[in-house]
Amino acid sequence: MKIRLHAFEPVSVVNGPGKRAVIWVQGCTLGCPSCFNPETHNNESGIDWEIDKLVSAISAQEKIIDGITISGGEPLQQHHALTELLKRIRMASELSVLLFTGYTWEEIQVMPVREALFEHVDVLLAGRYDANRRVAAGLLGSANKTVHFFTDRYTQFDLDIVPEAEITISPEGEIVLSGIRPLNW
């Protein structure tokens, strides 16, 4: 099985508590005005990754990371592949899972993927980005987003103390700005 990715970052400190591998999926049809990841929207862009390859890439970092963060694009629009990835991560490791989605908590309640989320995710951040309610703090882009803790691994305090931004330079020289308050905002 494959999942379409925009990017994979093996280690980040601004996309959730502690050091985390970050998966940005490709594809989103929600159309939030002023989204800060518009390059992740086109379903035709990105690259297909085998779930096995992605689990291996994450496992290679397991000794130095605390968990994984999944963002997008919209992860729940690839719910079959996402569910398989989440199951495989839980079977292969003790890593925590934080998931960002633009869907609201109410929308998620009627989705078939909800049981997998409750079972395999530690923290879910839900809701569409609303530029008029921008806060960019505590991992929340806007004040309408909701935070759901499915395990006791983290608290709101843990999310609040995550650094706001980081700069990563790839071996090829590509500069990536990441975090809830990227430096170019």
Side-chain angles (χ1 to χ4, degrees):
M1 179 175 281
K2 294 181 181 182
I3 188 166
R4 184 163 282 276
L5 297 189
H6 173 73
F8 172 73
E9 180 66 41
V11 181
S12 170
V13 296
V14 299
N15 289 282
K19 292 181 180 177
R20 312 185 71 75
V22 185
I23 299 164
W24 287 275
V25 301
Q26 184 70 37
C28 179
T29 61
L30 296 179
C32 301
S34 300
C35 174
F36 56 87
N37 276 340
E39 65 279 0
T40 66
H41 295 179
N42 184 340
N43 289 324
E44 302 302 316
S45 295
I47 187 165
D48 285 332
W49 276 51
E50 291 286 342
I51 297 291
D52 290 341
K53 178 182 173 187
L54 189 52
V55 170
S56 293
I58 292 165
S59 296
Q61 301 302 319
E62 190 171 1
K63 292 185 190 302
I64 61 171
I65 61 173
D66 302 295
I68 66 166
T69 295
I70 304 170
S71 190
E74 177 47 58
L76 299 185
Q77 290 182 355
Q78 295 188 56
H79 63 89
H80 293 298
L82 176 65
T83 300
E84 182 64 22
L85 175 64
L86 293 173
K87 286 179 184 176
R88 298 279 305 282
I89 293 297
R90 281 291 197 230
M91 288 185 333
S93 74
E94 295 294 320
L95 295 172
S96 65
V97 177
L98 187 143
L99 176 72
F100 287 91
T101 178
Y103 287 104
T104 65
W105 179 246
E106 294 74 23
E107 290 170 319
I108 293 166
Q109 295 303 305
V110 297
M111 292 180 171
V113 72
R114 74 182 179 280
E115 295 302 323
L117 294 178
F118 300 160
E119 186 176 343
H120 301 296
V121 172
D122 295 287
V123 181
L124 174 73
L125 293 102
R128 286 168 183 76
Y129 176 68
D130 182 346
N132 295 322
R133 300 183 68 195
R134 184 175 189 272
V135 291
L139 294 181
L140 295 179
S142 55
N144 60 299
K145 290 186 163 280
T146 58
V147 181
H148 306 274
F149 297 92
F150 298 133
T151 68
D152 61 0
R153 287 180 88 156
Y154 299 112
T155 66
Q156 185 61 51
F157 177 77
D158 297 314
L159 303 185
D160 290 342
I161 63 170
V162 170
E164 294 178 347
E166 73 184 348
I167 299 172
T168 306
I169 302 172
S170 75
E172 296 80 27
E174 179 185 15
I175 297 173
V176 178
L177 304 175
S178 187
I180 198 64
R181 192 183 294 265
L183 301 176
N184 62 345
W185 278 31

